[in-house]
Amino acid sequence: MQVQVRDNNVEQALRVLKKRLQREGVFREMKLRKYFEKPSEARVREKAEAVRRARKAARKQAIREGLIAAPKAPARAPRPGSSPRPQ
């Protein structure tokens, strides 16, 4: 996996690299391989993950079809140091 560093901005390149590794599941894989996992435990974990993915997909489908309401976005707190808008 390669990430280009533009304008000597290493911090941004690191952020991009971490995001790509996260998306690929590398960190998760490293965490799982840190200790030995019995095959029976792996099956149980994979089945639970599959159930979780199926529920999430069903919930998203129901939201798209209008069967259930979408979750409300939390109210954003004002930034420190900013003043409220005049009306």
Side-chain angles (χ1 to χ4, degrees):
M1 184 173 303
Q2 291 183 346
V3 176
Q4 292 183 352
V5 178
R6 295 189 178 122
D7 300 327
N8 289 331
N9 194 347
V10 177
E11 287 80 23
Q12 181 171 359
L14 274 175
R15 280 197 306 268
V16 170
L17 177 64
K18 283 183 180 179
K19 192 179 289 187
R20 285 187 187 176
L21 291 173
Q22 179 75 31
R23 199 175 310 135
E24 291 287 325
V26 173
F27 294 127
R28 204 160 166 271
E29 186 78 18
M30 286 173 27
K31 188 176 174 185
L32 286 173
R33 289 177 184 249
K34 192 171 185 178
Y35 301 105
F36 178 75
E37 184 178 27
K38 289 172 40 179
S40 60
E41 292 172 346
R43 278 194 301 273
V44 168
R45 177 183 49 79
E46 288 169 0
K47 179 142 178 123
E49 288 173 358
V51 168
R52 199 174 306 118
R53 280 193 308 270
R55 283 185 183 156
K56 184 175 180 179
R59 185 171 54 247
K60 285 186 172 242
Q61 183 68 28
I63 289 171
R64 274 195 296 269
E65 292 176 357
L67 299 175
I68 59 174
K72 302 234 179 195
R76 298 175 108 195
R79 286 191 219 159
S82 65
S83 60
R85 294 183 184 168
Q87 299 209 9

